[in-house]
Amino acid sequence: MNRIRLGVNIDHVATLREARKTTEPDPVAAAMMAEMGGADQITFHLREDRRHFQNRDARLVSETAQTLVNLEMAATPEMQEIALALHPDAVTLVPERREEVTTEGGLDLVRGFEKFAGVVKALGEGSIKTSAFVGPDKEQIKAASRIGFNAVEIHTGEYANATRTNRDAALKRIVEAAAAGAKYGLHVHAGHGLTYHNIHPIVRIEQIEELNIGHSIISRAVFVGIENAVREMVELIRR
Ligand code: PXP
């Protein structure tokens, strides 16, 4: 079986801190503990409204992480400039809407072709790998390949939110999307809404090389600590 990388999304450590606008808990410390638990990558989303991660967090995590750094961001000129200055290993472009609670859908790369192509080119020239967060949709995956992304991250939210009756169909769409990604020469990642309970069918998908998981790991960390929570997820992914 393939060895899947685990990217631990630590946004919600900053969400808790921002609830009080104070200095704790510090996502910089969380990144270190996630690495001690076996994370292969630290993932964070620097949102335009800075509702959780702040510029200071992004800078310090980028400077201190011992593993890979994956910056999730919107395709805007401001974020492009920040990415080129921080120089993470990878940037995952995501759609962003101010009123959303979390990233609700994938990018529309077909409609935004030119905009995304410009950002991908600039980041590529800065030696930053690029990934597109897309729904399990073959047209979007084909567009990601044409734009020149290195990878696609398949949005697993629909599968995660599915009921017993429609879960198999949602899983099938992810399986097919992963195969399409590989066919178009893209690295295949997946994420959103993945938990200790729904991860099993996802890790069996041969083409998936990386998973980015936040909410479930940070939720468990409240009870068992970040290191343990990450270690438990690593065990499920490697099994
Ligand atoms: N991948 C991407 C691109 C995301 O935007 C998010 C949420 O910020 C995640 C993964 C992690 O999702 P969750 O917190 O539901 O595990």
Side-chain angles (χ1 to χ4, degrees), residues 9 11-12 45 72 92 94 102-103 133 153 191-194 212-216:
N9 180 314
D11 293 348
H12 288 330
H45 185 173
E72 296 176 358
T92 302
V94 300
T102 181
T103 315
F133 192 42
E153 179 167 334
H192 205 92
L194 296 176
N212 287 297
I213 308 178
H215 187 84
S216 188

Side-chain angles (χ1 to χ4, degrees), residues 12 193-197 213-221 229 233:
H12 288 330
L194 296 176
T195 71
Y196 297 83
H197 305 290
I213 308 178
H215 187 84
S216 188
I217 292 176
I218 302 305
S219 299
R220 185 169 289 213
M233 188 59 87

Side-chain angles (χ1 to χ4, degrees), residues 213-239:
I213 308 178
H215 187 84
S216 188
I217 292 176
I218 302 305
S219 299
R220 185 169 289 213
V222 170
F223 301 109
V224 304
I226 294 183
E227 218 181 311
N228 287 327
V230 172
R231 195 169 291 125
E232 287 171 32
M233 188 59 87
V234 167
E235 277 169 21
L236 293 180
I237 285 174
R238 304 271 191 270
R239 199 156 64 191

